[in-house]
């Protein structure tokens, strides 16, 4: 059910199914663009939004770096959505065709609040675009299954150990028996999986995940 008052409406329902239907109907109205901003928590609000990605409508999706290695985000990217991640995403929100903003309802009220107020739309789009500009793109890859997404191959572990001990790309390539181009492709792949914007940051994140320590041990 949708309750509407002026430029604010509340999509509600008597159960999860009806709430999904109401938000799904709103997303089906999109003709040009849907912006998805997610804090990364597993909520019905996010699942409904991502389930409605479809050809012909541009989808730009922001998630925190902590969700970067999710198989769901990789599949979403392969489906045609533009996905980026940043250190933190401050709120859950959808923007439909830059005319409507959908937010999860607060408090005891289930459902989603839909705002068509120009000020609310402008502020939400502005926040999205500021985060988007600094966020790291997620390139669709042949990632392992989600349960194995944090596992590196032996060659990747060896490459990380070599590079972050000061070995050059050329020397690493010679040690591994591959081309310099292959080394750089592997590094780009690892950086993408880590959500790193530089090799230095990739090294720090690899240490945090125990990738380098596992090899050293």
């Amino acid at each position: 059910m949708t309750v509407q008052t002026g430029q604010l409406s509340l999509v509600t329902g008597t159960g999860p199914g009806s709430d999904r239907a109401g938000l799904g109907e709103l997303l089906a109205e999109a003709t040009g663009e849907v912006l998805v901003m997610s804090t990364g928590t597993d909520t019905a609000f996010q699942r409904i939004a991502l389930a409605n990605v479809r050809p012909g409508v541009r989808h730009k999706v922001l998630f925190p770096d902590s969700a970067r290695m999710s198989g769901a985000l990789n599949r979403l990217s392969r489906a045609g959505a533009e996905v980026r991640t940043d250190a933190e995403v401050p709120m859950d929100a959808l923007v439909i065709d830059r005319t409507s903003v959908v937010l999860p309802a607060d408090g005891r009220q289930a459902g989603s609040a839909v705002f068509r107020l120009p000020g609310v739309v402008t502020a939400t789009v502005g926040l999205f675009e500021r985060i988007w500009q600094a966020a790291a793109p997620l390139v669709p890859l042949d990632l392992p299954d989600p349960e194995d997404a944090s596992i590196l191959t032996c060659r990747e572990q060896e490459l990380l150990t070599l590079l972050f001990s000061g070995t050059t790309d050329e020397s690493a390539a010679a040690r591994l028996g591959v081309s310099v181009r292959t080394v750089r492709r592997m590094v780009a792949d690892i950086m993408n999986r880590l959500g790193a914007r530089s090799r230095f940051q990739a090294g720090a994140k690899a240490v945090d995940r125990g990738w380098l320590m596992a090899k050293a041990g």
Side-chain angles (χ1 to χ4, degrees):
M1 176 177 69
T2 301
V3 180
Q4 184 162 346
T5 304
Q7 291 175 302
L8 168 65
S9 57
L10 187 66
V11 180
T12 63
T14 57
S18 55
D19 188 45
R20 286 196 296 269
L23 186 51
E25 289 174 2
L26 286 172
L27 290 164
E29 296 175 0
T31 59
E33 178 187 66
V34 174
L35 308 180
V36 181
M37 189 158 45
S38 171
T39 58
T41 54
D42 187 23
T43 66
F45 177 83
Q46 295 164 8
R47 292 195 300 272
I48 297 164
L50 301 183
N52 279 273
V53 173
R54 67 184 192 278
V57 177
R58 184 183 188 188
H59 284 75
K60 296 170 68 175
V61 181
L62 272 174
F63 264 77
D65 287 340
S66 59
R68 189 173 183 86
M69 295 182 72
S70 162
L73 285 192
N74 189 54
R75 289 191 296 273
L76 183 63
S77 184
R78 286 186 172 280
E82 299 172 51
V83 183
R84 295 189 182 185
T85 67
D86 200 26
E88 183 180 1
V89 178
M91 62 185 289
D92 294 299
L94 307 177
V95 182
I96 301 173
D97 290 333
R98 303 204 177 205
T99 59
S100 302
V101 171
V102 185
L103 304 175
D106 292 327
R108 294 185 298 272
Q109 178 66 64
S112 305
V114 184
F115 297 86
R116 296 180 178 85
L117 298 163
V120 174
V121 174
T122 299
T124 306
V125 170
L127 175 62
F128 182 96
E129 293 295 355
R130 283 196 298 275
I131 300 173
W132 183 262
Q133 290 301 318
L138 177 70
V139 179
L141 297 168
D142 292 323
L143 293 177
D145 292 334
E147 61 269 20
D148 297 326
S150 63
I151 299 175
L152 293 181
T153 66
C154 291
R155 177 170 285 185
E156 287 172 331
Q157 288 181 335
E158 186 173 359
L159 174 60
L160 276 177
T161 302
L162 288 170
L163 293 181
F164 296 109
S165 64
T167 305
T168 64
D169 289 358
E170 290 76 12
S171 296
R175 288 280 298 274
L176 296 174
V178 298
S179 67
V180 174
R181 181 177 180 180
T182 297
V183 164
R184 290 171 180 164
R185 179 185 58 76
M186 290 170 65
V187 171
D189 184 352
I190 293 169
M191 288 175 62
N192 181 55
R193 291 162 65 182
L194 286 167
R197 297 167 179 79
S198 67
R199 290 192 178 192
F200 178 82
Q201 188 180 36
K205 290 193 173 191
V207 170
D208 287 344
R209 291 181 181 272
W211 288 1
L212 291 177
M213 292 174 59
K215 179 63 179 177

